[in-house]
């Protein structure tokens, strides 16, 4: 649960934690709403934000997003921008998780799907990706990223360019 750690959000975070809800993540915004949303437009334009085709709240949400910043309400826009910003940041112990994954791969404890690897060209402005298998991977300085073919299939469908494919069994 991501809650803005300002004004009434600070009090809500404290109350939830006092009630035993420790899955609360305080979010500290570092700029104003318009700039926060502007910083997330590349993710949205590159189709990394998916919303359901039908939902009772969809019309209201899309209206609020489309009239921002001139609309009467902006809470959903702001929470969307905050989540996308938080989502792109490295999480605690990310390095340890990645190290353990690599160790498991070396020991041969990976799925066959993981053995098929793909190199993709990331769209401009994308610095990292959270894959469907749960890995957070950074794009290299050359604008490319490597991942399992299973994870890559979703990005290829979204317009990313596949540069190479190989199996880790014959990679040296």
């Amino acid at each position: 649960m991501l809650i803005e750690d300002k004004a009434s959000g600070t009090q809500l975070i404290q109350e939830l934690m006092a009630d035993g809800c420790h899955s609360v993540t305080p979010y500290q915004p570092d700029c104003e709403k318009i700039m926060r949303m502007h910083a997330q437009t590349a993710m949205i334009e590159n189709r990394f934000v998916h919303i359901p085709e039908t939902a009772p709240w969809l019309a209201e949400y899309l209206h609020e997003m489309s009239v921002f910043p001139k609309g009467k309400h902006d809470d959903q826009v702001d929470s969307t921008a905050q989540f996308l910003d938080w989502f792109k940041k490295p999480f605690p112990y990310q390095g340890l998780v990645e190290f353990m994954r690599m160790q498991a791969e070396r020991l041969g404890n990976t799925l066959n799907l993981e053995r098929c690897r793909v190199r993709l060209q990331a769209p401009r402005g994308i610095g990292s990706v959270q894959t469907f298998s749960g890995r957070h991977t950074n794009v290299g300085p050359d604008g490319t990223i490597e991942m399992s073919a299973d994870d890559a299939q979703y990005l290829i469908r979204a317009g990313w360019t596949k540069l190479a494919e190989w199996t880790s069994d014959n990679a040296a």
Side-chain angles (χ1 to χ4, degrees):
M1 197 177 333
L2 190 66
I3 300 175
E4 183 175 355
D5 195 1
K6 279 188 151 186
S8 62
T10 302
Q11 182 179 353
L12 178 60
I13 291 166
Q14 293 168 352
E15 289 174 8
L16 288 169
M17 289 185 155
D19 289 344
C21 181
H22 298 287
S23 63
V24 174
T25 302
Y27 176 82
Q28 197 64 248
D30 54 5
C31 60
E32 54 96 21
K33 291 179 184 185
I34 295 173
M35 294 307 295
R36 281 197 300 264
M37 190 64 215
H38 180 72
Q40 305 312 318
T41 55
M43 266 185 95
I44 295 167
E45 289 171 352
N46 285 304
R47 298 160 67 185
F48 288 108
V49 177
H50 298 276
I51 55 176
E53 290 182 23
T54 60
W57 48 264
L58 186 59
E60 183 181 331
Y61 177 79
L62 292 176
H63 174 73
E64 190 174 308
M65 292 291 281
S66 63
V67 299
F68 181 78
K70 299 193 185 300
K72 184 176 179 184
H73 304 287
D74 63 8
D75 291 337
Q76 295 181 98
V77 174
D78 195 30
S79 63
T80 299
Q82 289 177 13
F83 170 76
L84 293 174
D85 178 55
W86 170 82
F87 180 77
K88 291 190 301 187
K89 292 181 179 173
F91 58 89
Y93 307 110
Q94 178 179 348
L96 179 61
V97 171
E98 184 61 17
F99 172 75
M100 296 302 288
R101 184 194 64 76
M102 288 172 25
Q103 291 295 81
E105 244 180 58
R106 284 192 191 112
L107 294 171
N109 293 332
T110 58
L111 298 170
N112 286 336
L113 291 172
E114 277 295 303
R115 292 195 176 130
C116 186
R117 305 290 292 173
V118 175
R119 178 181 291 273
L120 300 174
Q121 179 68 50
R124 196 165 177 205
I126 302 297
S128 63
V129 144
Q130 182 79 25
T131 65
F132 280 95
S133 66
R135 292 198 179 98
H136 187 92
T137 308
N138 292 324
V139 174
D142 62 351
T144 65
I145 191 166
E146 290 180 14
M147 65 184 59
S148 72
D150 194 45
D151 280 333
Q153 68 178 325
Y154 302 103
L155 298 174
I156 293 167
R157 281 189 217 151
W160 288 46
T161 305
K162 180 164 69 169
L163 301 174
E165 185 172 346
W166 66 93
T167 58
S168 60
D169 292 339
N170 43 351

